[in-house]
Amino acid sequence: MNILNYINGNFHNPISNEWIDNYNPSNGEVYGQIPNSTKDDVENAYIAAKSAFPIWSKTTLEERSRILIKISELLEANLQRFAEAESKDNGKPISLAKAVDIPRAASNFRFFGNAITQFASESHESVGQNAINYTLRQPIGVVGCISPWNLPLYLFTWKIAPAIAAGNCVVAKPSEVTPMTAYLLGEICNEAGLTKGVLNIVHGLGGSTGQAIVEHPDIKAISFTGGTATGTHIAKVAAPMFKKLSLELGGKNPNIIFADCDYDDMLETTVRSSFANQGQICLCGSRIFVEASIYDKFKIDFVAKVKALKVGHPSEDDTNIGALVSKSHFEKVKSYITNAESEAGKILCGGNEVTLKGYEKGYYLQPTIIEVKSNSCKLNQEEIFGPVVTTMPFETEEEALELANNVKYGLSATLWTNNLKRTMRMSNDLQAGIVWVNTWMMRDLRTPFGGVKASGVGREGGFEALRFFTEAKNVCIKY
Ligand code: NAD
């Protein structure tokens, strides 16, 4: 099936008529093509967005809200179709796409459709000076949204929904590896009655289509989620134009387990936080640090649980681990496993490719646990972004904190303990944008989301996202 660009409410071939193959990771076969869009397609998308802006930015909040909520309802009504498309494009189990990806994409529209009606601005009376200040929160204009392949529709809409709720018009690009649900979203937006040109979706490669969005002098803000290297590059390109930037980048998150935790709960959740979505979630706890007194027991129990996970075809309901997203990513993840022993790592379970009958060319890997001797090895310092976690013991709280923070990333951290004072101390001192205590990936959309250090700048979620997608203008009136 061929995918088309969505510009001004209509579907278009790329101007160059050049196309890129789209692969199904479950069997390694090409199943469609996507536009290899150029600067000219991005320019057309920009023109459509610019033309829609005067209308959309003056559309009442009630009307914007109504349309966003309608998009949410239509996504829910099309759950099965979207989940099948996401699973086929990405390789993730259909059960995950149905339970998480598509419902959360729908929630993004519902949440920001409601949030915009509650987005209050400040006023300050200058007492004794007969003056009052009030702050206008004005939409920026045309903004760019660029998203990765791991949670395709979920992260694409996590940007688009607040951007349009706040009154902006958007030029967006999903990952070239997983374009399908973004393509289907265009139809839903038309059905919901979204003003033409408010959302424009151009497909293509990062270095050309994505780069053209970032380089466009009149696209005033870029909301980007992806790798740290790409984020660094985007920051350099955007800096001379003084663009507003929100960068959600890589992670290498610690999962710190103390002996006083609720052990069974920790074990169940740690299996999920290690291997959900084949470990391809920026929030996965890929470095597991365990208090020495329970380390041997943890290893035995964790390995047993992980060995019981089913690596299978994404369309089967009981599959726990589907296919990795692409051949190149599969090779990259495998290379870390191949080099594990030269880094003094010991593979406790997994470590091999899986060949599924009938899908021999699919990108399947066993969930893999590697015991490491030191936190300084590549396995612990580089983002692998696959079904591979490391584990090592620690003796004291201070040592656990040092291990957790000693990495260039700072996206999330998970802490397992029932000691309140330790919880408070460590939550304060962990270098991360998000700390989960006795849980993982529990998300309330009102809360700030983002990282520190090489995991990015800026925050998404709740009013933080609406602040990003608006300019604050102060008006001071003397009376
Ligand atoms: P990526 O950086 O390769 O690509 C992300 C997006 O950027 C894609 O749409 C790509 O086409 C585009 N892109 C690439 N080069 C570009 C350029 N020069 N200009 C503009 N756009 C460009 O990342 P990926 O491999 O798709 O995704 C995996 C990465 O995303 C991992 O590092 C993961 O940790 C990160 N991620 C972070 C979060 C978060 O919230 N912090 C969430 C999910 C994924």
Side-chain angles (χ1 to χ4, degrees):
M1 174 177 174
N2 278 9
I3 279 170
L4 302 173
N5 288 333
Y6 174 69
I7 298 176
N8 208 25
N10 295 309
F11 292 93
H12 297 272
N13 287 344
I15 293 169
S16 66
N17 207 25
E18 285 183 16
W19 302 83
I20 307 162
D21 287 339
N22 191 19
Y23 286 82
N24 176 344
S26 76
N27 58 19
E29 285 169 13
V30 173
Y31 81 106
Q33 295 201 304
I34 76 163
N36 186 2
S37 303
T38 62
K39 240 167 116 169
D40 297 333
D41 301 286
V42 170
E43 184 60 23
N44 281 350
Y46 167 74
I47 291 168
K50 186 182 170 204
S51 310
F53 182 68
I55 306 161
W56 185 245
S57 58
K58 298 283 182 255
T59 298
T60 63
L61 295 186
E62 289 70 20
E63 178 64 1
R64 278 189 225 155
S65 173
R66 190 189 65 72
I67 293 173
L68 266 83
I69 290 168
K70 183 74 190 163
I71 295 174
S72 167
E73 288 166 357
L74 289 169
L75 281 173
E76 281 162 353
N78 284 277
L79 173 72
Q80 184 67 25
R81 186 162 74 106
F82 271 75
E84 279 170 13
E86 200 74 301
S87 170
K88 185 168 179 181
D89 218 20
N90 173 280
K92 68 177 66 210
I94 178 100
S95 55
L96 189 70
K98 264 161 103 170
V100 178
D101 291 77
I102 309 308
R104 289 205 183 187
S107 298
N108 289 339
F109 283 104
R110 175 169 286 108
F111 175 81
F112 284 107
N114 287 317
I116 193 62
T117 66
Q118 306 296 316
F119 186 41
S121 63
E122 303 163 34
S123 72
H124 302 275
E125 192 181 355
S126 302
V127 176
Q129 294 180 294
N130 284 359
I132 188 150
N133 292 270
Y134 63 91
T135 307
L136 292 171
R137 281 276 167 187
Q138 297 182 313
I140 297 169
V142 179
V143 300
C145 298
I146 301 176
S147 58
W149 49 256
N150 64 320
L151 303 166
L153 191 68
Y154 172 9
L155 292 178
F156 194 58
T157 56
W158 181 231
K159 301 178 176 308
I160 290 167
I164 65 177
N168 300 286
C169 295
V170 174
V171 177
K173 190 191 97 60
S175 169
E176 59 273 33
V177 189
T178 53
M180 186 54 86
T181 46
Y183 170 60
L184 298 177
L185 181 67
E187 285 173 21
I188 295 277
C189 289
N190 285 352
E191 202 180 331
L194 183 67
T195 307
K196 286 182 190 307
V198 172
L199 173 63
N200 305 279
I201 303 171
V202 273
H203 296 272
L205 301 172
S208 45
T209 318
Q211 180 90 10
I213 296 174
V214 179
E215 281 178 348
H216 198 293
D218 297 313
I219 295 181
K220 300 288 186 199
I222 302 290
S223 175
F224 169 80
T225 299
T228 295
T230 316
T232 309
H233 172 76
I234 288 177
K236 284 185 192 157
V237 174
M241 290 173 275
F242 303 106
K243 288 185 192 223
K244 238 179 153 179
L245 282 185
S246 167
L247 302 174
E248 299 289 348
L249 310 177
K252 188 74 187 177
N253 311 303
N255 180 5
I256 310 156
I257 300 166
F258 284 90
D260 68 1
C261 70
D262 291 336
Y263 188 83
D264 292 346
D265 196 10
M266 174 280 294
L267 199 60
E268 284 296 324
T269 309
T270 293
V271 172
R272 225 165 31 86
S273 69
S274 302
F275 298 113
N277 205 37
Q278 297 71 249
Q280 302 168 140
I281 302 182
C282 54
L283 304 165
C284 278
S286 51
R287 294 181 299 145
I288 305 176
F289 302 114
V290 186
E291 192 165 5
S293 61
I294 57 163
Y295 185 62
D296 289 339
K297 173 174 167 51
F298 170 78
K299 272 197 298 187
I300 294 167
D301 295 341
F302 186 43
V303 166
K305 288 249 177 222
V306 172
K307 278 190 171 164
L309 294 175
K310 180 187 161 191
V311 179
H313 192 271
S315 67
E316 288 165 8
D317 280 334
D318 60 346
T319 288
N320 302 113
I321 310 274
L324 272 71
V325 73
S326 66
K327 177 91 177 146
S328 61
H329 188 60
F330 176 70
E331 296 299 343
K332 182 194 133 182
V333 175
K334 261 190 347 184
S335 74
Y336 279 97
I337 300 173
T338 311
N339 296 327
E341 283 177 8
S342 65
E343 289 216 285
K346 182 176 163 202
I347 295 177
L348 300 181
C349 82
N352 297 309
E353 289 180 35
V354 178
T355 307
L356 292 189
K357 202 164 178 311
Y359 309 102
E360 287 78 4
K361 289 192 180 150
Y363 318 133
Y364 300 95
L365 267 183
Q366 288 176 326
T368 301
I369 308 170
I370 306 175
E371 183 173 45
V372 291
K373 291 218 169 351
S374 139
N375 189 41
S376 58
C377 62
K378 275 190 187 176
L379 290 163
N380 263 37
Q381 293 296 318
E382 295 181 8
E383 187 184 40
I384 302 174
F385 214 55
V388 180
V389 293
T390 68
T391 187
M392 65 182 281
F394 67 83
E395 296 285 346
T396 64
E397 181 181 319
E398 291 70 27
E399 188 191 351
L401 188 66
E402 161 71 19
L403 290 167
N405 285 344
N406 202 347
V407 71
K408 75 173 180 176
Y409 297 102
L411 188 55
S412 71
T414 303
L415 182 62
W416 290 93
T417 180
N418 278 317
N419 179 325
L420 179 62
K421 287 182 182 163
R422 174 190 286 143
T423 299
M424 303 302 285
R425 281 192 300 270
M426 290 201 66
S427 303
N428 278 343
D429 293 341
L430 280 165
Q431 296 168 356
I434 303 147
V435 177
W436 278 295
V437 183
N438 300 331
T439 183
W440 175 73
M441 216 172 148
M442 193 176 214
R443 292 279 302 124
D444 180 326
L445 299 191
R446 293 168 299 180
T447 60
F449 179 92
V452 298
K453 306 200 293 192
S455 291
V457 288
R459 291 292 178 273
E460 299 187 296
F463 292 151
E464 297 286 343
L466 295 176
R467 285 188 196 106
F468 175 77
F469 283 116
T470 52
E471 288 289 3
K473 180 194 282 176
N474 193 64
V475 180
C476 175
I477 302 177
K478 181 138 171 65
Y479 53 90

